[in-house]
Amino acid sequence: MAPEIIEMSAAPSAACDIWSLGCTILELTTGKPPHFDLAPMAALFRIVQDDIPRLPSGVSKALRDFLLRCFNREAALRADARGLLSHAWLQYAPVRPSRPEMQEQDSCEPTGTRTKANKLMVDVDSQVVGMFDRYRENEDDDIENGFEAFAIESTSRKLLNHEPLLDPFAFGSFKDDADFIHGIVRERASKRREGLDLLLFELAMPVRKEKAPVLPRLLRILKAHEVGHERALSEIGATSLVEGLRSPGCVIEALQVTHTVLFCSSDAANILAEMGIAPLLLALIPAINGHQVLNLLGAILNIFCFRCTELSLRSFLFSGGLQLAVELLVSPNEEHMSMSRCTAAALAGATLLQRTLDAKRPKVLLQGPSRIALCRVLALRDAPAKLATTLEASLQTNISPDRCTADVTSRALAALSDADTVTKETIAAPRTATVVLRILAAFPKRVSDAWDLGVDGDADAALAVRLLKALKVVCMSSAAALDSLAACGAIETVVGVLEVAQAGASEINGFIKKAIPRRDDLEDQLVPIVYYLCRIEHSRLARAARCGAAMLLAVCVARRRHLRQFALAILCELCHVAANDEQGDIGAELWRGGGVRLYIRLLAETYWCVRALAALNSWLKADTLVEAAMAEPHCAQSIVHMFHRLDGNEFEQILEPLLDACETSPCIVRALLSVHTKFRHRFIIDIGEKLEKHTSAIIRKKLLEILRSVLSVVPAPVILLLATRLDNVLVSILTDDDTANQVLVINLTARILHANSADRFLPPAL
């Protein structure tokens, strides 16, 4: 068990498995696991306290180095599986032939010709096989390939034609323990590296002895000796390669050589990144002309992105790699955008930005700037605008859209939008927002074109959902970002996409409409965006209403329950906007979306009843049709039922819009008085009950004002007071000790009684 798992300082990862691999090798070598002689708790304590487990005294230097790489206490610095596979202990470990082959060789040799080394070989072989006999299953067990699958008796390779080497597990039996790799193999690798260093040194020389290009000779070396499986590039060769990039006369050839070395050598990316190659590559961009060279530079960046370790990648990023990735993207200033100019370059730049900004890879930013600071740096370097332009260019290719580049670029842009307010305001600026909105506006056409090609259009829908998520995050940032987006036409674009998502896109010459893929996902992003864009200013609400947002939001209210909080908030605010609309087109849009019935249904919901009645009251002052609709029996009955059942804070809040409606429209008052349930004049009876129940001066004052408005409409108010026994309630308010300090309530009650010829009910003191 790795130390970080015991200390619970890190989550389980591949580095923990590397530690376990070292423990397994120790157990295979010695026959006992590390700390086998200690109690469990004591063993856990030693794992945490000791630097490494105890190693056997007779272990070879190669195996010792392998185990030390596995037992690094720092998980981030621990060797990975790729690096261990290229270790000399595994790469050059000799494998002996099977025992029948050895017996056949022995039988063919004359007596007395067996050398001392061969005797040692057989003796050690019998010891090693005997050591593994304890793990051998019964002979009758059906095990695939049997125990012979182990490398001890493998026949996959033959013995080298020199003094036999023993198995690495049989420690302490080498003739020369310091010489683990045979001299011939070591010399061949050394010559290979020297040849590569000479070629790279020749590349960096201002005057060459040979006029032949370096790249063909380099390819012959790499092809002949399979350099990709070892550390072929030395620090000397890396220095020569860096100097070659500085030479103005061989820039293209140096780039080709750099790409070849990076591709063939697994460790070259780490060496060059630590030597500071990023500023050199960045300095070459202004001097480079030609699509092929840009794509070559993108291929180099792509290798750095995927082959560098996290520490080397961090060094590469903060020394100029981020700016290099940004420069490889398409600039908004370019007049003719074509992905043939930047296929590999733009893809590599977007890939590096996505990997850097991905929240799931926090180790890339370890000991470096925070993610927020990094996003600000990218925003200052115009990365949002270049990502948006690259995305648009990838979708405008002549043959078919570049889906890979579009997907990576959109993910990088979405990751960049998840930052602080400064970065979000940069994305909302016209330089970036205009391009993103243009891509969203073309979404229906791209889906129709995909249908014409026999594709379902799901890729375009997924891309639109991703961009809308980024746009929603930006809308939640600040008022400045909202102003910028609204100025760029975000309201019209978003409402248009919402209409297409609900109604479908045209197919077959525009006569047939087909459902858009991911309709629900699109609505989940579009409706909140409309809410955030329009909730502050009435002018934006008017723009959204004139685009047909009212009817679209009403559909969402009926079909998508979790979107009601956004859609109903906009619909209620639209009534207040319609009250000040001189043209009357906003009111017409509200009637298309359901009219008064939509808001009357909300009166049955405690959360929305107050806002719905207030919205109707505002709309009532501007449209006479609203008054006629609210005076209908079912509408009046809904209002009376709401007034009867509400209590607490909701009841106190409903009094103001109800009073305003009663003072505005006598027709509505008559409709309320005509509602009968178990009793006649249910509304007046409820007013009396509420006056007796609530002792708050504010609530009683509002109720008395509603009562005064109702009595002013009734032909015989005294008869109504006597029939509902409301006169007794009013007198009790005047004589109640609890209302002695409520001067406004007492005066209003007295005026109601005086105005309706009910002086005989007044106490003598009044």
Side-chain angles (χ1 to χ4, degrees), residues 97-170:
S98 61
R99 296 170 66 185
E101 291 181 359
M102 295 178 62
Q103 294 177 0
E104 182 179 354
Q105 293 176 4
D106 293 343
S107 62
C108 296
E109 293 180 359
T111 305
T113 59
R114 181 178 296 181
T115 62
K116 180 179 179 181
N118 288 335
K119 290 182 180 180
L120 180 61
M121 180 80 174
V122 175
D123 294 339
V124 173
D125 182 70
S126 60
Q127 294 175 5
V128 173
V129 174
M131 183 179 64
F132 283 101
D133 283 340
R134 72 184 69 176
Y135 303 105
R136 189 188 297 274
E137 302 290 341
N138 296 330
E139 298 294 338
D140 297 335
D141 292 344
D142 184 13
I143 302 177
E144 184 179 359
N145 296 328
F147 194 71
E148 303 297 329
F150 285 96
I152 296 176
E153 300 186 2
S154 174
T155 58
S156 58
R157 291 187 291 181
K158 296 183 180 180
L159 283 173
L160 297 175
N161 296 324
H162 52 76
E163 186 174 352
L165 298 175
L166 303 184
D167 190 272
F169 288 96

Side-chain angles (χ1 to χ4, degrees), residues 4 21 83 142 192 220 242 258 313 363 526 610 656-657 667 670 695 722:
E4 62 268 19
L21 172 65
D142 184 13
R192 185 185 314 163
R220 286 195 295 269
V242 170
T258 303
L313 180 60
K363 292 183 179 179
L526 290 166
V610 178
E656 184 66 31
C667 295
R670 296 188 190 97
T695 59
L722 294 174

Side-chain angles (χ1 to χ4, degrees), residues 244-256 284 287-288 293 296:
L245 291 173
R246 299 179 187 271
S247 302
C250 59
V251 172
I252 297 179
E253 187 178 10
L255 284 176
Q256 293 174 341
L284 295 177
I288 289 178
V293 179
L296 179 62

